[in-house]
Amino acid sequence: MSLAAEKAAESPLEWRVETAPVAYPDAVAAMERRVAEIHAGVAPELVWLLEHPPLYTAGTSARPEDLIEARFPVFNSGRGGQYTYHGPGQRVAYALLDLKRRSPNGPDLRTYVHDLEEWIIRALLRFNVKGERRDGRVGIWVRRDGGREDKIAAIGVRIRRWVSYHGVALNIEPELSHYDGIVPCGISGHGVTSLADLGLPVTLADADVALRAAFEEVFGGN
């Protein structure tokens, strides 16, 4: 093993927080470079916390009819899933993890997605919000008065050589009307919400603390 590979193997998982919105193409290019470096053993795993400017992304299962109005730039994405929105007030958490190293019995995509869901659920509990899974509906959901259910977090992943990238998006205080240009994740009949919409004055910094603590519970520190 090279000296660089030895250093990477010994390095703790890196946490990176951006203070300004990151253009989506720049983020994807940076993730792809880092995935290759993680696979080669010359860089540590990364959890990258950021915001994007307002935009829509289309996953590999996106249907043209679910783009109602292209109010913002639309980017094709290699992640799984359908259309989603990213914008200010939403904490995007990209998880670039070596699933082979983390899964001595063999990596499993379904288990990984379940763990991402658990990560969000545990982070929300720190704000006394009960996030829930729903069969057939990707993401994390909260119950509202009158039996309504709204989506508070989206999940979309891609795996290359068993290194993960893309990740989760948690709504802190985005402009919820921006979702009106799409059918979010191809699911109609349900709404979207945020911590602010639920009456919780949570900042991005607050969310970052909760996400890091919950991540360490689910995935461990390294």
Side-chain angles (χ1 to χ4, degrees), residues 18-24 26 50-54 87-89:
E18 300 294 343
T19 57
V22 178
Y24 188 76
D26 294 345
L50 53 81
E51 293 175 283
H52 289 304

Side-chain angles (χ1 to χ4, degrees), residues 44 46 61 76 90 111 126 143 159 164 173 203 206 210 212 221:
L46 171 67
S61 301
N76 290 321
Q90 181 191 73
T111 298
R126 286 165 165 79
R143 296 177 185 267
I159 308 295
S164 68
E173 194 174 5
T203 66
D206 295 333
R212 183 159 187 169

Side-chain angles (χ1 to χ4, degrees), residues 19-152:
T19 57
V22 178
Y24 188 76
D26 294 345
V28 172
M31 284 193 289
E32 290 179 343
R33 288 193 300 270
R34 187 60 170 259
V35 164
E37 292 167 352
I38 293 169
H39 176 72
V42 297
E45 298 174 310
L46 171 67
V47 178
W48 191 12
L49 304 178
L50 53 81
E51 293 175 283
H52 289 304
L55 58 91
Y56 299 128
T57 66
T60 55
S61 301
R63 299 173 299 196
E65 62 269 25
D66 288 341
L67 179 61
I68 299 169
E69 180 185 358
R71 300 182 179 182
F72 307 110
V74 180
F75 297 94
N76 290 321
S77 172
R79 62 163 175 80
Q82 301 188 40
Y83 280 104
T84 195
Y85 166 77
H86 294 309
Q90 181 191 73
R91 178 50 90 210
V92 175
Y94 289 136
L96 286 70
L97 306 178
D98 184 344
L99 300 185
K100 272 191 175 181
R101 185 176 70 82
R102 289 177 170 271
S103 308
N105 296 325
D108 179 82
L109 180 57
R110 184 171 297 179
T111 298
Y112 176 59
V113 171
H114 185 276
D115 288 345
L116 291 177
E117 294 170 340
E118 187 67 20
W119 178 22
I120 297 300
I121 288 169
R122 294 193 186 203
L124 288 170
L125 279 176
R126 286 165 165 79
F127 305 110
N128 295 316
V129 174
K130 185 178 181 182
E132 300 179 321
R133 300 175 178 88
R134 287 292 178 268
D135 289 341
R137 282 194 257 142
V138 179
I140 299 301
W141 300 79
V142 295
R143 296 177 185 267
R144 308 297 299 271
D145 293 340
R148 192 177 99 201
E149 293 183 346
D150 289 344
K151 189 173 190 175
I152 195 167

